[in-house]
Amino acid sequence: MDERLERYAELVVGLGANVQPGQEVFIVPNLEHVDVARALARAAYKAGASYVHVNYTDGHVRHAMIELGPDEALTYAPDYVKTFVESFAGNALIATIGDAEPELMTDLDGERVGRAVPVEVVQIRMQQLMENSVNWCGVGAPNEGWATQVYGEPDVERLWEALAFCMRLDEADPIAAWREHLARLRERGAALDALKPDAIRYRGPGTDLTVGLLPNARWFSGSSTTASGIEYVANMPTEEIFTSPDSRRAEGTIRSSMPLVLSSQIIRGLELTFEDGRIVNVEAESGAGVVRGELDNIPNADRLGELALVTGDSRVGQTGTLFYNTLFDENATCHIAYGAGFPFVFEGEPDEGLNVANTHVDFMVGGPELEVDAILADGTSVPVIRNEEWQLA
Amino acid sequence: MNPEERIERYAELAVRIGANVQEGQEVFVYGIPDHADLVRALTRQAYRAGASYVNVIYGDQHVNRAMIEFGPDSALTYSPEWQKTLASSMTGNALLGTSGNPEPELLADLDGERVGRAFQVEVAEIRRKQHYENSVNWCGVGAPNAGWAQQVLGEPNVERLWELVATCMRLDEDDPVAAWKEHLDRLEARGKALTDLQPDALHYRGPGTDLTVGLLPTARWGSALFTTNSGIRYVANMPTEEIFTTPDSRRAEGTIRSTMPLSLAGRLIRGLEFTFEDGRIVNVDAETGADIVRTQLATVENTDRLGELALVTGESRVGQTKTLYYNTLFDENATCHIAYGAGLEYAFDGEPDEGMNVSNLHVDFMVGGPELEVDALLADGTAIPLIRDEVWQLA
């Protein structure tokens, strides 16, 4: 048995999803993630899971549907898939990520690719996120295709080493190291909350964007707690603090600083222009059609749902590696998401400025030249990030 | 034919002749990760045939292993709600399953009792009902992979296994779909000719073999070509070379010797020889592995009676490859075979006869070969030759 793999699965099950004895565990891998999926299944049973469901998805099956299926197939949500997703409530969920063939869909009609969303299934999952009824964790699963994208060769071992570093598996006690790391992020969030900023301003090459904040939205870090009190870490690795902004207030332009993989297409040089909180223009060097397709077809996809701050001490950032994978890359540097906001970041009821949508897409905006300021109600600017370093106490 | 073309042609056959997917039907494809290439080709061909949606479900025996090894007792027989919904959704739709075990020994080191108990009872009940109602047009096909090739050929030569499978599936014909239609017509005609004779028994003679097995008046001889309750014709297994029936489990007298090794519980049984009295197996001999069979017969009720007789002749494509596939889907189509254990209720017109055997097991073993003679015995005692020199004798 591969010791690193078993150690990794143990961390994800024990700290990430924090599987409780007697819970059912749902694992949703891609077909290329069998090794990680199987290790997670073993670790989940060892942690006391009453049953472990593993439901593989296959990009080629999706490709066949978009290429050859009828229009109705694109948005069809089979009953058993709805039942499957409904069953997550009160249980644990682990998703594995790492696209083995990121260019798989590029030969297809971008509009059909964008439309291929089982809307009813997504709604069930969004509802669970709102109710915070699932302890879940998304983690990486190295594979040849992903390694090839990252390194130009299918060096899976090298990708595993980078992932192990990001996941702090080199620490003597990774779970203890993770607890300490999560506490540090929590302190940053508390410091920013204490400022009570009215907005965040981003400045950098091609970027000058001001986004309004909501008074009862807090800055969160990686660890969350379900409605029934189970602590979990929704993404591993995590290096960010984040909040949901006021979806009605965003003015200016922001340019993404790293490529984004969406519907198996790579979007480079994405540039979004905002007026009154709405995206009014989408430009990109490649893949703009996929983004426009999403924004046109999914209500409120054209408003912001998340702002996240990451600094240069990020383990992911320190690898100096572009992972072509949002889970990792969003933890390398600052990012923003269009689409759904997070109801759980609010103290009390979510503000009506919270965006509600059936999608959530993160894109990276950070880098050495990005300056982030907190704008207070009186107009004062307080530096938050300079030269990728945290500026608050 | 390059491998890409071959797999698409193969999938097209399974979709159009096998499951016979109808325009607007949903299709369910069950595979394992090792069968991904074929599963994907089946998906493409199902959409090309007009499927409204193709649901692909990958099982994983490593996950099953984790459950048996580390899971609680309650997990072994648990039928999750979504799996029940999934099974129920197949009613009125099409199903394709892939077989070809890449790791037949994967569960060998686990507690056999837990392995045997791991069974989704409620899901199986839904499937059994669909089977009984005949409400799903389905087809099982082989999916070559390295582990299976290793077993068959002694080396992981997947390409060679693909060539053998392609031969069995008649992919070398100019028009495999037409060739299959002709082949199935021929098998149907054989079944009809034999049923029309209204034989009272079959008599097998050959080296080490002299066995007479009683037949039941309402049991028909048929091929793997079936029709759903809504009138869709489908071929449940591909390849198929047999006509078969369910015999009278109370009438079998004599001895029969198996002519090919039988793979059972991860072991090979060679030179298996049974002696029957009053329908029951009263003696088991074998060159190797007799103990496994004896244990089965002693522990599973009614395993010691016959459940199926199947006739296959020398033009069988599977038989012509002279290969042991360690996979019943293929091996039972190489030559004449007999099964001990459960009878097949769909062999009957109307309700099954009480002479049909009921058991939780069904094990096929091969008895055919150049020297086997098979006769139909009529009620008046007349013997009519059915097979000589592996050639079909009836008109």
Side-chain angles (χ1 to χ4, degrees), chain A residues 24 38 45 50-51 53 56 58 60 65 69 76 80 84, chain B residues 26 40 47 53 55 58 60 62 67 71 75 78 82 120:
Chain A
E24 291 189 28
R38 291 165 179 174
Y45 276 121
S50 61
Y51 194 81
H53 309 255
Y56 291 102
D58 183 347
H60 288 264
M65 175 189 75
Y76 179 58
Y80 75 91
F84 177 71
Chain B
E26 275 191 47
R40 292 164 177 175
Y47 276 121
Y53 193 81
N55 304 279
Y58 285 106
D60 185 346
H62 287 264
M67 176 186 76
Y78 179 53
W82 71 275
Q120 295 186 323

PDB file of all heavy atoms in Angstrom, chain A residues 24 38 45 50-51 53 56 58 60 65 69 76 80 84, chain B residues 26 40 47 53 55 58 60 62 67 71 75 78 82 120:
ATOM      1  N   GLU A  24     -22.866   8.346   6.351  1.00  0.00           N
ATOM      2  CA  GLU A  24     -22.575   7.842   5.018  1.00  0.00           C
ATOM      3  C   GLU A  24     -21.612   8.816   4.357  1.00  0.00           C
ATOM      4  O   GLU A  24     -21.645  10.007   4.626  1.00  0.00           O
ATOM      5  CB  GLU A  24     -23.856   7.721   4.193  1.00  0.00           C
ATOM      6  CG  GLU A  24     -24.757   6.612   4.698  1.00  0.00           C
ATOM      7  CD  GLU A  24     -25.940   6.317   3.774  1.00  0.00           C
ATOM      8  OE1 GLU A  24     -25.835   6.544   2.563  1.00  0.00           O
ATOM      9  OE2 GLU A  24     -26.969   5.867   4.301  1.00  0.00           O
ATOM     10  N   ARG A  38     -10.243   5.126  -4.137  1.00  0.00           N
ATOM     11  CA  ARG A  38     -10.199   3.862  -3.386  1.00  0.00           C
ATOM     12  C   ARG A  38      -9.564   4.080  -2.006  1.00  0.00           C
ATOM     13  O   ARG A  38     -10.039   3.527  -1.001  1.00  0.00           O
ATOM     14  CB  ARG A  38      -9.424   2.813  -4.183  1.00  0.00           C
ATOM     15  CG  ARG A  38     -10.172   2.364  -5.421  1.00  0.00           C
ATOM     16  CD  ARG A  38      -9.283   1.620  -6.409  1.00  0.00           C
ATOM     17  NE  ARG A  38     -10.062   1.191  -7.574  1.00  0.00           N
ATOM     18  CZ  ARG A  38      -9.534   0.621  -8.649  1.00  0.00           C
ATOM     19  NH1 ARG A  38      -8.228   0.392  -8.712  1.00  0.00           N
ATOM     20  NH2 ARG A  38     -10.309   0.261  -9.672  1.00  0.00           N
ATOM     21  N   TYR A  45     -14.145   4.161   5.683  1.00  0.00           N
ATOM     22  CA  TYR A  45     -14.639   3.017   6.472  1.00  0.00           C
ATOM     23  C   TYR A  45     -13.861   2.907   7.785  1.00  0.00           C
ATOM     24  O   TYR A  45     -14.437   2.640   8.840  1.00  0.00           O
ATOM     25  CB  TYR A  45     -14.544   1.714   5.670  1.00  0.00           C
ATOM     26  CG  TYR A  45     -15.723   1.484   4.748  1.00  0.00           C
ATOM     27  CD1 TYR A  45     -15.550   1.337   3.384  1.00  0.00           C
ATOM     28  CD2 TYR A  45     -17.029   1.403   5.267  1.00  0.00           C
ATOM     29  CE1 TYR A  45     -16.635   1.119   2.537  1.00  0.00           C
ATOM     30  CE2 TYR A  45     -18.119   1.184   4.434  1.00  0.00           C
ATOM     31  CZ  TYR A  45     -17.915   1.039   3.070  1.00  0.00           C
ATOM     32  OH  TYR A  45     -18.991   0.826   2.252  1.00  0.00           O
ATOM     33  N   SER A  50     -20.742   4.474   7.836  1.00  0.00           N
ATOM     34  CA  SER A  50     -21.684   3.349   7.777  1.00  0.00           C
ATOM     35  C   SER A  50     -21.747   2.782   6.362  1.00  0.00           C
ATOM     36  O   SER A  50     -21.995   1.607   6.165  1.00  0.00           O
ATOM     37  CB  SER A  50     -23.081   3.795   8.217  1.00  0.00           C
ATOM     38  OG  SER A  50     -23.573   4.801   7.354  1.00  0.00           O
ATOM     39  N   TYR A  51     -21.491   3.658   5.367  1.00  0.00           N
ATOM     40  CA  TYR A  51     -21.472   3.195   3.977  1.00  0.00           C
ATOM     41  C   TYR A  51     -20.718   4.227   3.151  1.00  0.00           C
ATOM     42  O   TYR A  51     -20.817   5.422   3.409  1.00  0.00           O
ATOM     43  CB  TYR A  51     -22.899   3.039   3.436  1.00  0.00           C
ATOM     44  CG  TYR A  51     -22.959   2.254   2.143  1.00  0.00           C
ATOM     45  CD1 TYR A  51     -22.915   0.861   2.150  1.00  0.00           C
ATOM     46  CD2 TYR A  51     -23.034   2.907   0.910  1.00  0.00           C
ATOM     47  CE1 TYR A  51     -22.939   0.138   0.970  1.00  0.00           C
ATOM     48  CE2 TYR A  51     -23.064   2.185  -0.273  1.00  0.00           C
ATOM     49  CZ  TYR A  51     -23.016   0.803  -0.238  1.00  0.00           C
ATOM     50  OH  TYR A  51     -23.039   0.085  -1.405  1.00  0.00           O
ATOM     51  N   HIS A  53     -20.251   5.591  -0.687  1.00  0.00           N
ATOM     52  CA  HIS A  53     -20.716   5.594  -2.081  1.00  0.00           C
ATOM     53  C   HIS A  53     -19.615   6.200  -2.941  1.00  0.00           C
ATOM     54  O   HIS A  53     -19.135   7.286  -2.640  1.00  0.00           O
ATOM     55  CB  HIS A  53     -21.945   6.488  -2.241  1.00  0.00           C
ATOM     56  CG  HIS A  53     -23.040   6.219  -1.260  1.00  0.00           C
ATOM     57  ND1 HIS A  53     -24.189   5.556  -1.604  1.00  0.00           N
ATOM     58  CD2 HIS A  53     -23.168   6.533   0.055  1.00  0.00           C
ATOM     59  CE1 HIS A  53     -24.977   5.481  -0.540  1.00  0.00           C
ATOM     60  NE2 HIS A  53     -24.383   6.059   0.472  1.00  0.00           N
ATOM     61  N   TYR A  56     -18.333   7.505  -9.946  1.00  0.00           N
ATOM     62  CA  TYR A  56     -17.372   8.096 -10.883  1.00  0.00           C
ATOM     63  C   TYR A  56     -18.071   8.879 -11.984  1.00  0.00           C
ATOM     64  O   TYR A  56     -19.114   8.446 -12.487  1.00  0.00           O
ATOM     65  CB  TYR A  56     -16.552   6.991 -11.557  1.00  0.00           C
ATOM     66  CG  TYR A  56     -15.594   6.282 -10.646  1.00  0.00           C
ATOM     67  CD1 TYR A  56     -15.879   5.033 -10.129  1.00  0.00           C
ATOM     68  CD2 TYR A  56     -14.372   6.868 -10.314  1.00  0.00           C
ATOM     69  CE1 TYR A  56     -14.993   4.368  -9.296  1.00  0.00           C
ATOM     70  CE2 TYR A  56     -13.475   6.211  -9.483  1.00  0.00           C
ATOM     71  CZ  TYR A  56     -13.795   4.960  -8.983  1.00  0.00           C
ATOM     72  OH  TYR A  56     -12.910   4.308  -8.160  1.00  0.00           O
ATOM     73  N   ASP A  58     -17.291  10.608 -15.906  1.00  0.00           N
ATOM     74  CA  ASP A  58     -16.394  10.344 -17.026  1.00  0.00           C
ATOM     75  C   ASP A  58     -16.573  11.461 -18.058  1.00  0.00           C
ATOM     76  O   ASP A  58     -17.648  11.601 -18.658  1.00  0.00           O
ATOM     77  CB  ASP A  58     -16.747   8.973 -17.627  1.00  0.00           C
ATOM     78  CG  ASP A  58     -15.811   8.571 -18.759  1.00  0.00           C
ATOM     79  OD1 ASP A  58     -15.057   9.433 -19.255  1.00  0.00           O
ATOM     80  OD2 ASP A  58     -15.833   7.391 -19.148  1.00  0.00           O
ATOM     81  N   HIS A  60     -15.549  11.710 -20.982  1.00  0.00           N
ATOM     82  CA  HIS A  60     -15.852  11.242 -22.342  1.00  0.00           C
ATOM     83  C   HIS A  60     -17.341  10.954 -22.516  1.00  0.00           C
ATOM     84  O   HIS A  60     -17.875  11.087 -23.618  1.00  0.00           O
ATOM     85  CB  HIS A  60     -15.031   9.982 -22.661  1.00  0.00           C
ATOM     86  CG  HIS A  60     -13.580  10.276 -22.855  1.00  0.00           C
ATOM     87  ND1 HIS A  60     -13.014  10.463 -24.085  1.00  0.00           N
ATOM     88  CD2 HIS A  60     -12.591  10.458 -21.951  1.00  0.00           C
ATOM     89  CE1 HIS A  60     -11.722  10.740 -23.941  1.00  0.00           C
ATOM     90  NE2 HIS A  60     -11.444  10.729 -22.656  1.00  0.00           N
ATOM     91  N   MET A  65     -22.418  13.088 -24.822  1.00  0.00           N
ATOM     92  CA  MET A  65     -23.749  13.690 -24.658  1.00  0.00           C
ATOM     93  C   MET A  65     -23.825  15.025 -25.386  1.00  0.00           C
ATOM     94  O   MET A  65     -24.789  15.301 -26.108  1.00  0.00           O
ATOM     95  CB  MET A  65     -24.065  13.895 -23.178  1.00  0.00           C
ATOM     96  CG  MET A  65     -25.381  14.616 -22.955  1.00  0.00           C
ATOM     97  SD  MET A  65     -25.652  15.082 -21.237  1.00  0.00           S
ATOM     98  CE  MET A  65     -24.539  16.461 -21.070  1.00  0.00           C
ATOM     99  N   GLY A  69     -25.895  13.887 -28.249  1.00  0.00           N
ATOM    100  CA  GLY A  69     -27.198  13.774 -27.596  1.00  0.00           C
ATOM    101  C   GLY A  69     -28.183  14.835 -28.059  1.00  0.00           C
ATOM    102  O   GLY A  69     -27.788  15.840 -28.655  1.00  0.00           O
ATOM    103  N   TYR A  76     -30.834  17.639 -18.610  1.00  0.00           N
ATOM    104  CA  TYR A  76     -31.606  16.580 -17.953  1.00  0.00           C
ATOM    105  C   TYR A  76     -30.986  16.189 -16.608  1.00  0.00           C
ATOM    106  O   TYR A  76     -29.774  15.998 -16.504  1.00  0.00           O
ATOM    107  CB  TYR A  76     -31.669  15.368 -18.889  1.00  0.00           C
ATOM    108  CG  TYR A  76     -32.403  14.175 -18.343  1.00  0.00           C
ATOM    109  CD1 TYR A  76     -33.736  14.273 -17.952  1.00  0.00           C
ATOM    110  CD2 TYR A  76     -31.775  12.937 -18.237  1.00  0.00           C
ATOM    111  CE1 TYR A  76     -34.409  13.176 -17.461  1.00  0.00           C
ATOM    112  CE2 TYR A  76     -32.445  11.829 -17.758  1.00  0.00           C
ATOM    113  CZ  TYR A  76     -33.761  11.948 -17.373  1.00  0.00           C
ATOM    114  OH  TYR A  76     -34.432  10.863 -16.889  1.00  0.00           O
ATOM    115  N   TYR A  80     -32.447   9.395 -10.263  1.00  0.00           N
ATOM    116  CA  TYR A  80     -31.518   8.760  -9.324  1.00  0.00           C
ATOM    117  C   TYR A  80     -30.360   9.690  -8.986  1.00  0.00           C
ATOM    118  O   TYR A  80     -29.809   9.628  -7.889  1.00  0.00           O
ATOM    119  CB  TYR A  80     -31.011   7.411  -9.866  1.00  0.00           C
ATOM    120  CG  TYR A  80     -29.992   7.514 -10.971  1.00  0.00           C
ATOM    121  CD1 TYR A  80     -28.630   7.543 -10.691  1.00  0.00           C
ATOM    122  CD2 TYR A  80     -30.382   7.580 -12.303  1.00  0.00           C
ATOM    123  CE1 TYR A  80     -27.692   7.647 -11.696  1.00  0.00           C
ATOM    124  CE2 TYR A  80     -29.461   7.683 -13.318  1.00  0.00           C
ATOM    125  CZ  TYR A  80     -28.111   7.727 -13.007  1.00  0.00           C
ATOM    126  OH  TYR A  80     -27.192   7.832 -14.003  1.00  0.00           O
ATOM    127  N   PHE A  84     -29.422  10.793  -5.359  1.00  0.00           N
ATOM    128  CA  PHE A  84     -28.024  10.663  -4.926  1.00  0.00           C
ATOM    129  C   PHE A  84     -27.578  11.950  -4.227  1.00  0.00           C
ATOM    130  O   PHE A  84     -27.077  11.916  -3.102  1.00  0.00           O
ATOM    131  CB  PHE A  84     -27.146  10.378  -6.151  1.00  0.00           C
ATOM    132  CG  PHE A  84     -25.671  10.293  -5.886  1.00  0.00           C
ATOM    133  CD1 PHE A  84     -25.132   9.226  -5.200  1.00  0.00           C
ATOM    134  CD2 PHE A  84     -24.815  11.287  -6.339  1.00  0.00           C
ATOM    135  CE1 PHE A  84     -23.768   9.139  -4.960  1.00  0.00           C
ATOM    136  CE2 PHE A  84     -23.457  11.222  -6.103  1.00  0.00           C
ATOM    137  CZ  PHE A  84     -22.927  10.142  -5.413  1.00  0.00           C
TER     138      PHE A  84
ATOM    139  N   GLU B  26     -34.042   5.874 -22.703  1.00  0.00           N
ATOM    140  CA  GLU B  26     -32.837   6.114 -21.908  1.00  0.00           C
ATOM    141  C   GLU B  26     -32.015   4.837 -21.926  1.00  0.00           C
ATOM    142  O   GLU B  26     -32.559   3.733 -21.992  1.00  0.00           O
ATOM    143  CB  GLU B  26     -33.198   6.465 -20.459  1.00  0.00           C
ATOM    144  CG  GLU B  26     -33.496   7.933 -20.287  1.00  0.00           C
ATOM    145  CD  GLU B  26     -33.585   8.341 -18.817  1.00  0.00           C
ATOM    146  OE1 GLU B  26     -32.697   7.960 -18.033  1.00  0.00           O
ATOM    147  OE2 GLU B  26     -34.555   9.045 -18.482  1.00  0.00           O
ATOM    148  N   ARG B  40     -17.328   3.991 -23.122  1.00  0.00           N
ATOM    149  CA  ARG B  40     -17.438   5.262 -23.858  1.00  0.00           C
ATOM    150  C   ARG B  40     -17.943   5.030 -25.276  1.00  0.00           C
ATOM    151  O   ARG B  40     -18.771   5.801 -25.777  1.00  0.00           O
ATOM    152  CB  ARG B  40     -16.073   5.952 -23.872  1.00  0.00           C
ATOM    153  CG  ARG B  40     -15.665   6.436 -22.495  1.00  0.00           C
ATOM    154  CD  ARG B  40     -14.177   6.772 -22.413  1.00  0.00           C
ATOM    155  NE  ARG B  40     -13.846   7.297 -21.087  1.00  0.00           N
ATOM    156  CZ  ARG B  40     -12.611   7.575 -20.695  1.00  0.00           C
ATOM    157  NH1 ARG B  40     -11.584   7.373 -21.509  1.00  0.00           N
ATOM    158  NH2 ARG B  40     -12.393   8.054 -19.489  1.00  0.00           N
ATOM    159  N   TYR B  47     -26.143   7.125 -28.231  1.00  0.00           N
ATOM    160  CA  TYR B  47     -26.652   8.431 -28.676  1.00  0.00           C
ATOM    161  C   TYR B  47     -26.907   8.403 -30.183  1.00  0.00           C
ATOM    162  O   TYR B  47     -27.908   8.936 -30.661  1.00  0.00           O
ATOM    163  CB  TYR B  47     -25.689   9.562 -28.306  1.00  0.00           C
ATOM    164  CG  TYR B  47     -25.867  10.060 -26.882  1.00  0.00           C
ATOM    165  CD1 TYR B  47     -24.826  10.015 -25.966  1.00  0.00           C
ATOM    166  CD2 TYR B  47     -27.088  10.596 -26.452  1.00  0.00           C
ATOM    167  CE1 TYR B  47     -24.984  10.478 -24.663  1.00  0.00           C
ATOM    168  CE2 TYR B  47     -27.264  11.056 -25.149  1.00  0.00           C
ATOM    169  CZ  TYR B  47     -26.207  10.990 -24.262  1.00  0.00           C
ATOM    170  OH  TYR B  47     -26.378  11.452 -22.978  1.00  0.00           O
ATOM    171  N   TYR B  53     -30.975   9.857 -23.391  1.00  0.00           N
ATOM    172  CA  TYR B  53     -29.940  10.146 -22.394  1.00  0.00           C
ATOM    173  C   TYR B  53     -29.216   8.838 -22.104  1.00  0.00           C
ATOM    174  O   TYR B  53     -29.833   7.783 -22.057  1.00  0.00           O
ATOM    175  CB  TYR B  53     -30.569  10.703 -21.111  1.00  0.00           C
ATOM    176  CG  TYR B  53     -29.560  11.318 -20.167  1.00  0.00           C
ATOM    177  CD1 TYR B  53     -29.093  12.605 -20.377  1.00  0.00           C
ATOM    178  CD2 TYR B  53     -29.071  10.603 -19.082  1.00  0.00           C
ATOM    179  CE1 TYR B  53     -28.159  13.180 -19.534  1.00  0.00           C
ATOM    180  CE2 TYR B  53     -28.132  11.173 -18.225  1.00  0.00           C
ATOM    181  CZ  TYR B  53     -27.689  12.461 -18.459  1.00  0.00           C
ATOM    182  OH  TYR B  53     -26.764  13.023 -17.616  1.00  0.00           O
ATOM    183  N   ASN B  55     -27.029   7.021 -19.262  1.00  0.00           N
ATOM    184  CA  ASN B  55     -26.556   7.000 -17.874  1.00  0.00           C
ATOM    185  C   ASN B  55     -25.429   5.985 -17.770  1.00  0.00           C
ATOM    186  O   ASN B  55     -25.627   4.817 -18.100  1.00  0.00           O
ATOM    187  CB  ASN B  55     -27.681   6.564 -16.929  1.00  0.00           C
ATOM    188  CG  ASN B  55     -28.908   7.447 -17.057  1.00  0.00           C
ATOM    189  OD1 ASN B  55     -28.968   8.521 -16.485  1.00  0.00           O
ATOM    190  ND2 ASN B  55     -29.894   7.001 -17.837  1.00  0.00           N
ATOM    191  N   TYR B  58     -20.239   3.409 -13.203  1.00  0.00           N
ATOM    192  CA  TYR B  58     -19.025   2.613 -13.030  1.00  0.00           C
ATOM    193  C   TYR B  58     -19.012   2.000 -11.633  1.00  0.00           C
ATOM    194  O   TYR B  58     -19.008   2.723 -10.639  1.00  0.00           O
ATOM    195  CB  TYR B  58     -17.779   3.490 -13.174  1.00  0.00           C
ATOM    196  CG  TYR B  58     -17.444   3.895 -14.592  1.00  0.00           C
ATOM    197  CD1 TYR B  58     -17.665   5.175 -15.050  1.00  0.00           C
ATOM    198  CD2 TYR B  58     -16.876   2.971 -15.471  1.00  0.00           C
ATOM    199  CE1 TYR B  58     -17.330   5.554 -16.342  1.00  0.00           C
ATOM    200  CE2 TYR B  58     -16.542   3.331 -16.768  1.00  0.00           C
ATOM    201  CZ  TYR B  58     -16.771   4.624 -17.196  1.00  0.00           C
ATOM    202  OH  TYR B  58     -16.433   4.988 -18.474  1.00  0.00           O
ATOM    203  N   ASP B  60     -16.887  -0.397  -8.865  1.00  0.00           N
ATOM    204  CA  ASP B  60     -15.454  -0.541  -8.603  1.00  0.00           C
ATOM    205  C   ASP B  60     -15.269  -1.614  -7.539  1.00  0.00           C
ATOM    206  O   ASP B  60     -15.649  -1.436  -6.383  1.00  0.00           O
ATOM    207  CB  ASP B  60     -14.884   0.799  -8.129  1.00  0.00           C
ATOM    208  CG  ASP B  60     -13.366   0.767  -7.948  1.00  0.00           C
ATOM    209  OD1 ASP B  60     -12.782  -0.342  -7.928  1.00  0.00           O
ATOM    210  OD2 ASP B  60     -12.772   1.847  -7.832  1.00  0.00           O
ATOM    211  N   HIS B  62     -12.698  -2.533  -6.067  1.00  0.00           N
ATOM    212  CA  HIS B  62     -11.813  -2.122  -4.968  1.00  0.00           C
ATOM    213  C   HIS B  62     -12.600  -1.414  -3.861  1.00  0.00           C
ATOM    214  O   HIS B  62     -12.274  -1.533  -2.687  1.00  0.00           O
ATOM    215  CB  HIS B  62     -10.701  -1.211  -5.482  1.00  0.00           C
ATOM    216  CG  HIS B  62      -9.671  -1.946  -6.274  1.00  0.00           C
ATOM    217  ND1 HIS B  62      -8.500  -2.397  -5.730  1.00  0.00           N
ATOM    218  CD2 HIS B  62      -9.658  -2.337  -7.562  1.00  0.00           C
ATOM    219  CE1 HIS B  62      -7.791  -3.023  -6.651  1.00  0.00           C
ATOM    220  NE2 HIS B  62      -8.475  -2.999  -7.790  1.00  0.00           N
ATOM    221  N   MET B  67     -15.342  -2.092   1.446  1.00  0.00           N
ATOM    222  CA  MET B  67     -16.557  -2.287   2.249  1.00  0.00           C
ATOM    223  C   MET B  67     -16.512  -3.618   2.995  1.00  0.00           C
ATOM    224  O   MET B  67     -16.806  -3.687   4.190  1.00  0.00           O
ATOM    225  CB  MET B  67     -17.792  -2.236   1.352  1.00  0.00           C
ATOM    226  CG  MET B  67     -19.087  -2.539   2.094  1.00  0.00           C
ATOM    227  SD  MET B  67     -20.499  -2.629   0.992  1.00  0.00           S
ATOM    228  CE  MET B  67     -20.223  -4.235   0.243  1.00  0.00           C
ATOM    229  N   GLY B  71     -15.870  -2.211   6.354  1.00  0.00           N
ATOM    230  CA  GLY B  71     -17.202  -1.670   6.638  1.00  0.00           C
ATOM    231  C   GLY B  71     -17.924  -2.445   7.724  1.00  0.00           C
ATOM    232  O   GLY B  71     -17.561  -3.577   8.044  1.00  0.00           O
ATOM    233  N   ALA B  75     -23.420  -2.557   6.215  1.00  0.00           N
ATOM    234  CA  ALA B  75     -23.071  -2.065   4.872  1.00  0.00           C
ATOM    235  C   ALA B  75     -23.193  -3.175   3.821  1.00  0.00           C
ATOM    236  O   ALA B  75     -23.503  -2.909   2.654  1.00  0.00           O
ATOM    237  CB  ALA B  75     -21.649  -1.495   4.866  1.00  0.00           C
ATOM    238  N   TYR B  78     -26.703  -3.315   2.379  1.00  0.00           N
ATOM    239  CA  TYR B  78     -27.401  -2.030   2.261  1.00  0.00           C
ATOM    240  C   TYR B  78     -27.709  -1.696   0.796  1.00  0.00           C
ATOM    241  O   TYR B  78     -26.848  -1.806  -0.075  1.00  0.00           O
ATOM    242  CB  TYR B  78     -26.508  -0.957   2.876  1.00  0.00           C
ATOM    243  CG  TYR B  78     -27.046   0.455   2.830  1.00  0.00           C
ATOM    244  CD1 TYR B  78     -28.308   0.763   3.329  1.00  0.00           C
ATOM    245  CD2 TYR B  78     -26.262   1.488   2.314  1.00  0.00           C
ATOM    246  CE1 TYR B  78     -28.776   2.071   3.298  1.00  0.00           C
ATOM    247  CE2 TYR B  78     -26.718   2.803   2.292  1.00  0.00           C
ATOM    248  CZ  TYR B  78     -27.984   3.086   2.778  1.00  0.00           C
ATOM    249  OH  TYR B  78     -28.437   4.374   2.750  1.00  0.00           O
ATOM    250  N   TRP B  82     -30.672   5.878  -3.755  1.00  0.00           N
ATOM    251  CA  TRP B  82     -30.413   6.288  -5.147  1.00  0.00           C
ATOM    252  C   TRP B  82     -30.166   5.074  -6.043  1.00  0.00           C
ATOM    253  O   TRP B  82     -30.518   5.101  -7.220  1.00  0.00           O
ATOM    254  CB  TRP B  82     -29.264   7.298  -5.229  1.00  0.00           C
ATOM    255  CG  TRP B  82     -27.876   6.769  -4.946  1.00  0.00           C
ATOM    256  CD1 TRP B  82     -27.289   6.634  -3.735  1.00  0.00           C
ATOM    257  CD2 TRP B  82     -26.911   6.338  -5.912  1.00  0.00           C
ATOM    258  NE1 TRP B  82     -26.014   6.133  -3.874  1.00  0.00           N
ATOM    259  CE2 TRP B  82     -25.749   5.952  -5.197  1.00  0.00           C
ATOM    260  CE3 TRP B  82     -26.899   6.247  -7.307  1.00  0.00           C
ATOM    261  CZ2 TRP B  82     -24.603   5.476  -5.831  1.00  0.00           C
ATOM    262  CZ3 TRP B  82     -25.746   5.770  -7.944  1.00  0.00           C
ATOM    263  CH2 TRP B  82     -24.616   5.398  -7.200  1.00  0.00           C
ATOM    264  N   GLN B 120     -26.641  -6.486  -2.524  1.00  0.00           N
ATOM    265  CA  GLN B 120     -27.673  -5.452  -2.338  1.00  0.00           C
ATOM    266  C   GLN B 120     -29.050  -6.069  -2.577  1.00  0.00           C
ATOM    267  O   GLN B 120     -29.553  -6.066  -3.700  1.00  0.00           O
ATOM    268  CB  GLN B 120     -27.440  -4.284  -3.283  1.00  0.00           C
ATOM    269  CG  GLN B 120     -26.141  -3.533  -2.993  1.00  0.00           C
ATOM    270  CD  GLN B 120     -26.012  -2.296  -3.839  1.00  0.00           C
ATOM    271  OE1 GLN B 120     -26.398  -2.281  -4.998  1.00  0.00           O
ATOM    272  NE2 GLN B 120     -25.459  -1.235  -3.260  1.00  0.00           N
TER     273      GLN B 120
END
